[in-house]
Amino acid sequence: MKLMKRTKQFFKRGTLRRTLIFYLLIACLFPPALLAGYTYSSMHSILQHKISAGIEASLKQEAMGIENLLSNLDFVSKQFALDGQTAARVNEYMLSASLAEKVALIEQIEGTFNIVNFTNPNVGLMVYYHDNASDEQPILFNNLSVRDDFTIEKLPLFIRYNGTAYYGPHQTQYKNSENIVFSSIREVKSDSNYSLYIYLESNYNMFRKMMNSNWYGMPVYHYLISEQKEVLYADAGDPPFRAEELTWEMVDNGVKQVEDHYVFGYESIQGWKLVIAVNKDEYNHEINQWLVRMVALVLGSLILAFAIAMMIWRKVYGSLRRVNLEIVKLTGERDSPVKQVGIEEFDTLLQNFQVMKHTVNELIEEVSWNERNKSQLEIEKLLSQINPHFLHNTLNTVQWMARAKGQDDIDRIVTLLVKLLHYNMGKSSLIVTIKQELEALQHYIDLHMIRYEDELQFELHVDPELLHVAVPRFLLQPLVENAIYHGRSDEQSIIELTIEPYSDNALQLRVEDNGQGVDHQTLMQLSTAGKQTTMGMGIGLSYVRRLLDRFYGDAGKLHIESKAGAGTCLTVIIPLKLEEERYD
């Protein structure tokens, strides 16, 4: 159960391991499978043709052996039947009454037997006999002992060819043997009143040598069909067909499959037929062996492909684990160096990851610094808004008492102060329009005009098309406040505020005064004033810088221009578009 679970997990869908193994198996199996399919279609027909051709060649060779044997019997029978000298001696023997003469003739005829037998080793038993029914001993001459029941009538007729009758296969009529032989009978010319014949048999082991499966390299079953289409012989044992079931029509048109055997046939010019039957499994043995080797090749390719896939997977998996480990370490050990794995592609990936890791560390530091800066800015804002409700309520009380006593100037001053405090410390959006910013700035200017009366002069130059541009709240007041407190002159102080386009995508806020200005060293300190500035002219400018950094980043600029005795000019350049919803 655990093995099945692990196997299922190993080949989980959607994993790189499964995809890698799948494609490697296809790459390794497709060529041998294609080769095996193509080879099988080609080799099957080639091997089948080779086997069939081999069987047919062996069948023909076996049949030619029988043909040669029958021709040899025919040749020898002609020697005995048609040779005038031998036939004359036999006729002379039959007609002679002299015992001495018969003995001499017997020696001459037996000598002829010996010569013929020596020159024709394929011939076995040789017999001269006659058909005189009154004679109890029809055998005249013979070279070997003959059975007591020697007869011709019971022999199976094989063919009649060239004036000779051929019989067999049948058991030999040699007294001391049980072998299967072919035989022939030819009539001999005789001067007597009855017929004389020469009977010949093939060598006692000749038929056994010819009907041998070793010719074919596989077990086969033989059938011999006579000229009369009668099956005269079938191999001993358990042949696939009974003799009476086999017909020449079964193989007349070439190789045929009958049940689980292939049947081959050969038709001799002598008139007889030789048929063999081969078991289908034996016939396909070589093809099946080749098929087994091809299957083994495919299985070997499968195992090799799987092994290669696992080796590659282990190499890739180890590299992936290293990458995963470096990703996990990013959350805890951000400063630790990345270790390489020795594979170029993964090393390149890890090098890029190291660069990304360095960039992430820088971004984290930047975000951390921004958060600290934001917190400090919020603290400073809170410090400037200590108990605003109490301050508002107190100012409202002063305003009510001034109105009750008819103090219009006090009432006006308190009203302007309440409106200014409500704008600066209220809970409205952090992003306002330039128009709203100018309205609040006007309240601030009116308060200073009451205080300084004719000593201050304010001039506003604003492009009407820029009134609806979004800007951070409380951007203009620190710039004007800086000009009021640090830009006053001995004569009438003039403060000029200009808001105009700077480019197609930016605008310019410029506050100028005609005060005493500052020297170069002080100007450099103000230009580099940052968040640590806590006093003097740099407090408002530091606030403006942080405001620009927070809302505009590098796109927000603050420039300071001043000369001793020539006044100061503060210029703010910001983009026309601000992502208000990001900060609202």
Side-chain angles (χ1 to χ4, degrees):
M1 191 69 181
K2 292 183 178 180
L3 181 61
M4 292 180 62
K5 186 176 180 180
R6 291 184 63 184
T7 304
K8 186 176 181 181
Q9 182 68 22
F10 187 80
F11 292 101
K12 184 178 179 182
R13 183 185 297 272
T15 61
L16 176 62
R17 176 176 53 248
R18 173 178 172 174
T19 303
L20 181 64
I21 293 176
F22 177 74
Y23 283 113
L24 275 174
L25 288 179
I26 290 178
C28 292
L29 287 182
F30 183 74
L34 182 64
L35 178 62
Y38 175 77
T39 306
Y40 179 78
S41 62
S42 301
M43 290 298 296
H44 185 273
S45 60
I46 293 174
L47 289 174
Q48 192 172 41
H49 177 73
K50 171 192 169 185
I51 296 170
S52 298
I55 292 176
E56 290 175 351
S58 299
L59 176 63
K60 185 176 180 180
Q61 187 174 3
E62 195 173 48
M64 288 178 65
I66 298 176
E67 287 180 342
N68 292 335
L69 176 62
L70 297 181
S71 297
N72 194 23
L73 292 176
D74 179 63
F75 174 75
V76 174
S77 66
K78 287 180 180 179
Q79 283 184 301
F80 285 109
L82 303 180
D83 181 20
Q85 185 177 4
T86 305
R89 288 173 181 170
V90 173
N91 284 319
E92 184 179 353
Y93 173 84
M94 294 177 64
L95 296 175
S96 175
S98 170
L99 181 61
E101 186 178 354
K102 283 187 176 184
V103 171
L105 290 172
I106 290 174
E107 291 179 356
Q108 293 176 359
I109 293 172
E110 288 180 348
T112 303
F113 276 167
N114 292 332
I115 293 173
V116 172
N117 197 17
F118 179 77
T119 57
N120 295 276
N122 293 334
V123 178
L125 179 63
M126 294 179 286
V127 177
Y128 272 111
Y129 75 96
H130 61 80
D131 61 353
N132 186 0
S134 61
D135 192 348
E136 295 181 359
Q137 183 61 33
I139 298 174
L140 299 177
F141 304 98
N142 57 284
N143 65 333
L144 298 173
S145 301
V146 181
R147 295 178 184 272
D148 296 335
D149 58 346
F150 176 84
T151 181
I152 303 301
E153 286 76 13
K154 297 181 180 180
L155 297 180
L157 180 61
F158 190 47
I159 59 171
R160 294 185 181 275
Y161 182 70
N162 287 342
T164 304
Y166 297 89
Y167 298 88
H170 61 83
Q171 186 176 351
T172 180
Q173 299 202 71
Y174 172 47
K175 187 176 182 179
N176 299 322
S177 176
E178 301 292 334
N179 288 324
I180 302 298
V181 296
F182 282 104
S183 62
S184 67
I185 298 177
R186 181 183 288 271
E187 186 176 0
V188 181
K189 291 181 180 181
S190 174
D191 297 331
S192 62
N193 296 327
Y194 44 87
S195 299
L196 181 65
Y197 300 94
I198 178 69
Y199 173 82
L200 302 176
E201 283 185 359
S202 62
N203 190 298
Y204 70 95
N205 62 355
M206 191 67 188
F207 184 79
R208 178 171 54 84
K209 288 182 178 179
M210 288 189 298
M211 296 296 181
N212 195 332
S213 295
N214 292 333
W215 290 95
Y216 302 89
M218 64 184 72
V220 298
Y221 297 92
H222 296 86
Y223 297 88
L224 273 172
I225 302 176
S226 68
E227 190 176 29
Q228 293 75 29
K229 298 183 179 180
E230 180 183 357
V231 178
L232 300 181
Y233 173 81
D235 282 334
D238 187 19
F241 319 109
R242 291 184 298 175
E244 57 270 20
E245 294 176 350
L246 184 68
T247 62
W248 176 248
E249 286 72 16
M250 296 171 65
V251 292
D252 194 20
N253 295 321
V255 182
K256 288 187 178 180
Q257 182 176 348
V258 181
E259 297 179 359
D260 58 346
H261 284 74
Y262 289 105
V263 181
F264 298 79
Y266 176 86
E267 184 175 9
S268 173
I269 59 175
Q270 296 173 344
W272 53 271
K273 290 93 174 175
L274 175 61
V275 176
I276 63 168
V278 184
N279 185 276
K280 186 178 179 180
D281 292 336
E282 295 291 341
Y283 179 84
N284 293 322
H285 179 69
E286 187 174 354
I287 297 176
N288 292 336
Q289 280 188 330
W290 175 86
L291 185 60
V292 168
R293 287 193 290 267
M294 290 303 299
V295 172
L297 175 63
V298 173
L299 290 177
S301 300
L302 176 63
I303 295 173
L304 178 62
F306 188 79
I308 294 175
M310 290 304 301
M311 291 173 60
I312 296 177
W313 164 245
R314 289 182 182 277
K315 195 68 175 176
V316 173
Y317 182 65
S319 302
L320 290 176
R321 287 189 61 185
R322 169 57 59 185
V323 173
N324 181 65
L325 179 61
E326 294 297 338
I327 293 175
V328 173
K329 288 171 61 177
L330 182 61
T331 60
E333 303 176 15
R334 291 188 290 111
D335 296 329
S336 63
V338 173
K339 297 181 179 179
Q340 296 186 350
V341 296
I343 300 177
E344 182 179 355
E345 291 77 8
F346 282 99
D347 287 344
T348 302
L349 176 63
L350 290 171
Q351 289 173 2
N352 294 334
F353 182 77
Q354 178 66 47
V355 174
M356 184 198 73
K357 191 175 181 180
H358 180 71
T359 304
V360 169
N361 288 335
E362 290 181 347
L363 291 175
I364 291 175
E365 291 296 331
E366 183 179 351
V367 169
S368 178
W369 185 88
N370 289 336
E371 287 298 321
R372 291 194 299 270
N373 186 44
K374 178 181 177 181
S375 299
Q376 183 175 349
L377 188 64
E378 293 296 330
I379 291 173
E380 291 178 0
K381 183 177 179 181
L382 288 174
L383 290 175
S384 65
Q385 296 178 348
I386 296 175
N387 205 356
H389 293 289
F390 173 77
L391 183 59
H392 274 271
N393 291 336
T394 302
L395 290 175
N396 286 333
T397 301
V398 174
Q399 183 183 25
W400 175 79
M401 291 178 64
R403 288 179 181 176
K405 295 182 179 182
Q407 300 292 330
D408 295 336
D409 292 338
I410 296 175
D411 179 31
R412 180 169 177 265
I413 292 173
V414 173
T415 299
L416 291 173
L417 182 57
V418 169
K419 289 181 179 181
L420 184 61
L421 290 175
H422 178 74
Y423 178 79
N424 289 345
M425 296 186 295
K427 295 182 180 180
S428 58
S429 174
L430 295 175
I431 307 300
V432 297
T433 63
I434 290 180
K435 181 179 180 181
Q436 292 174 313
E437 186 75 357
L438 289 174
E439 290 176 355
L441 181 63
Q442 188 62 51
H443 298 324
Y444 179 76
I445 292 174
D446 290 343
L447 284 173
H448 281 285
M449 291 296 292
I450 294 173
R451 177 181 177 183
Y452 295 106
E453 295 182 351
D454 296 334
E455 295 181 11
L456 286 176
Q457 180 180 344
F458 292 92
E459 296 181 5
L460 299 177
H461 305 285
V462 181
D463 189 335
E465 295 183 359
L466 302 177
L467 292 176
H468 297 287
V469 174
V471 294
R473 190 177 65 175
F474 202 62
L475 175 63
L476 295 178
Q477 183 176 324
L479 299 175
V480 174
E481 182 179 3
N482 187 81
I484 292 174
Y485 287 105
H486 302 286
R488 295 180 60 191
S489 63
D490 296 336
E491 300 177 357
Q492 185 181 26
S493 298
I494 300 175
I495 299 174
E496 183 178 356
L497 173 62
T498 304
I499 302 176
E500 59 185 2
Y502 180 77
S503 66
D504 293 338
N505 301 318
L507 62 85
Q508 177 178 262
L509 307 173
R510 189 171 65 253
V511 178
E512 299 179 84
D513 63 66
N514 61 345
Q516 298 298 321
V518 295
D519 56 29
H520 180 71
Q521 183 177 0
T522 304
L523 180 62
M524 293 301 296
Q525 293 176 353
L526 292 174
S527 297
T528 57
K531 60 183 180 179
Q532 299 301 326
T533 305
T534 57
M535 61 182 296
M537 183 178 179
I539 296 177
L541 298 184
S542 176
Y543 173 80
V544 172
R545 280 198 179 93
R546 284 180 289 167
L547 205 61
L548 294 177
D549 288 340
R550 179 183 176 188
F551 288 96
Y552 298 102
D554 295 336
K557 308 292 182 181
L558 173 61
H559 300 289
I560 304 174
E561 299 177 5
S562 182
K563 291 183 180 181
T568 302
C569 178
L570 302 177
T571 304
V572 175
I573 300 174
I574 58 175
L576 289 175
K577 293 184 178 180
L578 176 66
E579 298 180 7
E580 180 177 353
E581 61 275 7
R582 177 180 174 186
Y583 304 101
D584 199 350

PDB file of all heavy atoms in Angstrom, residues 96-109:
ATOM      1  N   SER A  96      16.663 -75.535 -69.457  1.00  0.00           N
ATOM      2  CA  SER A  96      17.685 -76.595 -69.391  1.00  0.00           C
ATOM      3  C   SER A  96      17.209 -77.734 -68.495  1.00  0.00           C
ATOM      4  O   SER A  96      16.579 -77.497 -67.455  1.00  0.00           O
ATOM      5  CB  SER A  96      19.010 -76.016 -68.883  1.00  0.00           C
ATOM      6  OG  SER A  96      19.952 -77.058 -68.719  1.00  0.00           O
ATOM      7  N   ALA A  97      17.594 -78.931 -68.881  1.00  0.00           N
ATOM      8  CA  ALA A  97      17.275 -80.121 -68.076  1.00  0.00           C
ATOM      9  C   ALA A  97      18.515 -80.670 -67.401  1.00  0.00           C
ATOM     10  O   ALA A  97      18.437 -81.561 -66.545  1.00  0.00           O
ATOM     11  CB  ALA A  97      16.645 -81.201 -68.967  1.00  0.00           C
ATOM     12  N   SER A  98      19.686 -80.106 -67.750  1.00  0.00           N
ATOM     13  CA  SER A  98      20.944 -80.598 -67.214  1.00  0.00           C
ATOM     14  C   SER A  98      21.228 -79.914 -65.888  1.00  0.00           C
ATOM     15  O   SER A  98      21.225 -78.660 -65.794  1.00  0.00           O
ATOM     16  CB  SER A  98      22.075 -80.338 -68.203  1.00  0.00           C
ATOM     17  OG  SER A  98      23.324 -80.606 -67.604  1.00  0.00           O
ATOM     18  N   LEU A  99      21.485 -80.724 -64.862  1.00  0.00           N
ATOM     19  CA  LEU A  99      21.762 -80.164 -63.528  1.00  0.00           C
ATOM     20  C   LEU A  99      23.084 -79.417 -63.518  1.00  0.00           C
ATOM     21  O   LEU A  99      23.200 -78.345 -62.932  1.00  0.00           O
ATOM     22  CB  LEU A  99      21.776 -81.298 -62.500  1.00  0.00           C
ATOM     23  CG  LEU A  99      22.028 -80.870 -61.049  1.00  0.00           C
ATOM     24  CD1 LEU A  99      20.935 -79.913 -60.582  1.00  0.00           C
ATOM     25  CD2 LEU A  99      22.082 -82.113 -60.142  1.00  0.00           C
ATOM     26  N   ALA A 100      24.093 -79.958 -64.165  1.00  0.00           N
ATOM     27  CA  ALA A 100      25.405 -79.292 -64.177  1.00  0.00           C
ATOM     28  C   ALA A 100      25.317 -77.971 -64.901  1.00  0.00           C
ATOM     29  O   ALA A 100      25.931 -76.960 -64.499  1.00  0.00           O
ATOM     30  CB  ALA A 100      26.423 -80.206 -64.842  1.00  0.00           C
ATOM     31  N   GLU A 101      24.551 -77.989 -65.978  1.00  0.00           N
ATOM     32  CA  GLU A 101      24.407 -76.723 -66.725  1.00  0.00           C
ATOM     33  C   GLU A 101      23.678 -75.673 -65.878  1.00  0.00           C
ATOM     34  O   GLU A 101      24.035 -74.506 -65.873  1.00  0.00           O
ATOM     35  CB  GLU A 101      23.643 -77.008 -68.025  1.00  0.00           C
ATOM     36  CG  GLU A 101      23.577 -75.780 -68.935  1.00  0.00           C
ATOM     37  CD  GLU A 101      22.858 -76.111 -70.246  1.00  0.00           C
ATOM     38  OE1 GLU A 101      22.523 -77.294 -70.486  1.00  0.00           O
ATOM     39  OE2 GLU A 101      22.624 -75.166 -71.018  1.00  0.00           O
ATOM     40  N   LYS A 102      22.652 -76.141 -65.102  1.00  0.00           N
ATOM     41  CA  LYS A 102      21.914 -75.202 -64.253  1.00  0.00           C
ATOM     42  C   LYS A 102      22.802 -74.623 -63.149  1.00  0.00           C
ATOM     43  O   LYS A 102      22.717 -73.449 -62.805  1.00  0.00           O
ATOM     44  CB  LYS A 102      20.701 -75.895 -63.637  1.00  0.00           C
ATOM     45  CG  LYS A 102      19.543 -76.061 -64.613  1.00  0.00           C
ATOM     46  CD  LYS A 102      18.310 -76.589 -63.878  1.00  0.00           C
ATOM     47  CE  LYS A 102      17.115 -76.661 -64.827  1.00  0.00           C
ATOM     48  NZ  LYS A 102      15.903 -77.080 -64.152  1.00  0.00           N
ATOM     49  N   VAL A 103      23.673 -75.488 -62.618  1.00  0.00           N
ATOM     50  CA  VAL A 103      24.580 -75.002 -61.571  1.00  0.00           C
ATOM     51  C   VAL A 103      25.499 -73.926 -62.122  1.00  0.00           C
ATOM     52  O   VAL A 103      25.766 -72.897 -61.489  1.00  0.00           O
ATOM     53  CB  VAL A 103      25.376 -76.183 -60.980  1.00  0.00           C
ATOM     54  CG1 VAL A 103      26.477 -75.663 -60.058  1.00  0.00           C
ATOM     55  CG2 VAL A 103      24.461 -77.127 -60.229  1.00  0.00           C
ATOM     56  N   ALA A 104      26.011 -74.158 -63.311  1.00  0.00           N
ATOM     57  CA  ALA A 104      26.892 -73.165 -63.931  1.00  0.00           C
ATOM     58  C   ALA A 104      26.147 -71.862 -64.198  1.00  0.00           C
ATOM     59  O   ALA A 104      26.668 -70.750 -63.975  1.00  0.00           O
ATOM     60  CB  ALA A 104      27.482 -73.727 -65.224  1.00  0.00           C
ATOM     61  N   LEU A 105      24.890 -71.983 -64.650  1.00  0.00           N
ATOM     62  CA  LEU A 105      24.089 -70.781 -64.914  1.00  0.00           C
ATOM     63  C   LEU A 105      23.773 -70.022 -63.604  1.00  0.00           C
ATOM     64  O   LEU A 105      23.775 -68.795 -63.570  1.00  0.00           O
ATOM     65  CB  LEU A 105      22.794 -71.159 -65.631  1.00  0.00           C
ATOM     66  CG  LEU A 105      22.965 -71.642 -67.088  1.00  0.00           C
ATOM     67  CD1 LEU A 105      21.655 -72.178 -67.636  1.00  0.00           C
ATOM     68  CD2 LEU A 105      23.492 -70.507 -67.970  1.00  0.00           C
ATOM     69  N   ILE A 106      23.517 -70.807 -62.561  1.00  0.00           N
ATOM     70  CA  ILE A 106      23.245 -70.157 -61.261  1.00  0.00           C
ATOM     71  C   ILE A 106      24.441 -69.336 -60.808  1.00  0.00           C
ATOM     72  O   ILE A 106      24.322 -68.204 -60.334  1.00  0.00           O
ATOM     73  CB  ILE A 106      22.867 -71.220 -60.211  1.00  0.00           C
ATOM     74  CG1 ILE A 106      21.487 -71.801 -60.528  1.00  0.00           C
ATOM     75  CG2 ILE A 106      22.868 -70.612 -58.810  1.00  0.00           C
ATOM     76  CD1 ILE A 106      21.097 -72.957 -59.631  1.00  0.00           C
ATOM     77  N   GLU A 107      25.636 -69.890 -60.939  1.00  0.00           N
ATOM     78  CA  GLU A 107      26.837 -69.160 -60.541  1.00  0.00           C
ATOM     79  C   GLU A 107      27.011 -67.884 -61.361  1.00  0.00           C
ATOM     80  O   GLU A 107      27.383 -66.827 -60.828  1.00  0.00           O
ATOM     81  CB  GLU A 107      28.060 -70.069 -60.715  1.00  0.00           C
ATOM     82  CG  GLU A 107      28.101 -71.217 -59.715  1.00  0.00           C
ATOM     83  CD  GLU A 107      29.310 -72.110 -59.927  1.00  0.00           C
ATOM     84  OE1 GLU A 107      30.064 -71.845 -60.917  1.00  0.00           O
ATOM     85  OE2 GLU A 107      29.528 -73.016 -59.117  1.00  0.00           O
ATOM     86  N   GLN A 108      26.737 -67.993 -62.676  1.00  0.00           N
ATOM     87  CA  GLN A 108      26.865 -66.810 -63.531  1.00  0.00           C
ATOM     88  C   GLN A 108      25.833 -65.735 -63.145  1.00  0.00           C
ATOM     89  O   GLN A 108      26.158 -64.536 -63.065  1.00  0.00           O
ATOM     90  CB  GLN A 108      26.703 -67.215 -64.990  1.00  0.00           C
ATOM     91  CG  GLN A 108      27.841 -68.091 -65.516  1.00  0.00           C
ATOM     92  CD  GLN A 108      27.604 -68.554 -66.931  1.00  0.00           C
ATOM     93  OE1 GLN A 108      26.569 -68.248 -67.544  1.00  0.00           O
ATOM     94  NE2 GLN A 108      28.563 -69.315 -67.493  1.00  0.00           N
ATOM     95  N   ILE A 109      24.554 -66.165 -62.906  1.00  0.00           N
ATOM     96  CA  ILE A 109      23.498 -65.189 -62.552  1.00  0.00           C
ATOM     97  C   ILE A 109      23.781 -64.564 -61.190  1.00  0.00           C
ATOM     98  O   ILE A 109      23.631 -63.360 -60.988  1.00  0.00           O
ATOM     99  CB  ILE A 109      22.128 -65.879 -62.581  1.00  0.00           C
ATOM    100  CG1 ILE A 109      21.786 -66.288 -64.027  1.00  0.00           C
ATOM    101  CG2 ILE A 109      21.045 -64.949 -62.016  1.00  0.00           C
ATOM    102  CD1 ILE A 109      20.539 -67.144 -64.153  1.00  0.00           C
TER     103      ILE A 109
END
